[in-house]
């Protein structure tokens, strides 16, 4: 079972890797991950989030967030804490505040604002929706937007909407805790972000085919 509930204080723990996948594209291939782990009760939890990507055995970019999650409604949590970036290039430490909520029709939205120790203000919004085609086969459309209040040339980030990603993953749940999947994802750099990408010799858009697994315990 994924949740280990106490009959006395309703405390639980969960480790969930939503994405552990190999991405194959025209320009480059690599491994990517996105997951979380938490422990706590119904109202307050300690939460760790992590995501990133590797190329050639090296972490290209990654982050870890240590958060306090507090329920602000039946289907919404407020998350506050610290984010630490790592990988290739300059690193940043951020204060962060965000919301993880379930919208009508079971659309999950995660949004966060980040203020780095350098004074950079950025934000991220992600939407996902699980569409159950059969008892075991689930199609998950996904969209993400990254925004910035200013140009951050050393990180290749442009002001405004810097990047948009849309995609879909089709997974088969052999068990609820374990599901391999296939998918496709398209990303675009926008405005100043596209200009910075081209200046670094990179494309402003990319298409990736995906093969991965999703699991939790």
């Amino acid at each position: 079972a994924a949740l280990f509930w106490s009959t006395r204080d309703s405390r639980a723990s969960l480790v969930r890797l939503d994405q552990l996948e190999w991405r194959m594209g025209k320009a480059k291939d690599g491994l990517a991950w996105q997951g979380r782990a938490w422990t706590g009760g119904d109202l307050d939890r300690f939460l760790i989030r992590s995501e990133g990507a590797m190329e050639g055995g090296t972490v290209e970019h990654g982050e870890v967030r240590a958060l306090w999650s507090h329920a602000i409604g039946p289907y919404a949590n407020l998350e506050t804490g610290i984010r630490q970036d790592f990988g290739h290039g300059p690193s940043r430490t951020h204060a962060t505040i965000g919301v993880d909520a379930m919208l009508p029709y079971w659309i999950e939205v995660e949004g966060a604002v980040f203020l780095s120790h350098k004074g950079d203000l950025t934000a991220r919004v992600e939407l996902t929706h699980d569409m159950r085609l059969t008892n075991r086969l689930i199609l998950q459309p996904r969209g993400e937007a990254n925004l910035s209040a200013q140009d951050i040339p050393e990180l290749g980030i442009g002001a405004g909407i810097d990047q948009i990603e849309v995609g879909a993953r089709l997974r088969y749940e052999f068990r609820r805790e374990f599901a391999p999947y296939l998918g496709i994802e398209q990303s675009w750099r926008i405005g100043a972000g596209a200009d910075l990408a081209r200046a670094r010799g990179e494309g402003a858009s990319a298409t990736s085919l995906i093969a991965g697994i999703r699991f939790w315990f």
Side-chain angles (χ1 to χ4, degrees), residues 73-128:
Y75 302 104
N77 297 314
L78 178 69
E79 300 176 352
T80 58
I82 298 295
R83 164 185 154 190
Q84 179 62 52
D85 296 346
F86 58 93
H88 179 72
S91 64
R92 291 285 193 275
T93 302
H94 309 253
T96 176
I97 182 169
V99 173
D100 183 355
M102 188 68 71
L103 302 180
Y105 305 103
W106 303 105
I107 298 172
E108 185 175 359
V109 58
E110 299 175 13
V113 177
F114 310 101
L115 179 64
S116 82
H117 72 283
K118 297 285 189 178
D120 306 321
L121 183 65
T122 57
R124 181 186 304 147
V125 179
E126 179 181 350
L127 293 162
T128 58

Side-chain angles (χ1 to χ4, degrees), residues 17-131:
L17 201 59
D18 294 303
Q19 299 173 14
L20 180 61
E21 59 192 33
W22 185 257
R23 296 182 177 179
M24 298 158 282
K26 182 177 180 181
K28 56 185 71 174
D29 300 343
L31 182 72
W33 76 88
Q34 184 185 86
R36 69 187 74 180
W38 58 259
T39 184
D42 295 334
L43 295 178
D44 296 284
R45 297 171 177 175
F46 175 66
L47 171 67
I48 296 289
R49 290 182 179 270
S50 181
E51 62 181 83
M54 298 179 64
E55 295 172 10
T58 302
V59 176
E60 186 69 16
H61 59 87
E63 67 177 58
V64 174
R65 282 183 270 169
L67 305 164
W68 169 63
S69 176
H70 177 70
I72 55 176
Y75 302 104
N77 297 314
L78 178 69
E79 300 176 352
T80 58
I82 298 295
R83 164 185 154 190
Q84 179 62 52
D85 296 346
F86 58 93
H88 179 72
S91 64
R92 291 285 193 275
T93 302
H94 309 253
T96 176
I97 182 169
V99 173
D100 183 355
M102 188 68 71
L103 302 180
Y105 305 103
W106 303 105
I107 298 172
E108 185 175 359
V109 58
E110 299 175 13
V113 177
F114 310 101
L115 179 64
S116 82
H117 72 283
K118 297 285 189 178
D120 306 321
L121 183 65
T122 57
R124 181 186 304 147
V125 179
E126 179 181 350
L127 293 162
T128 58
H129 176 47
D130 281 359
M131 302 170 62

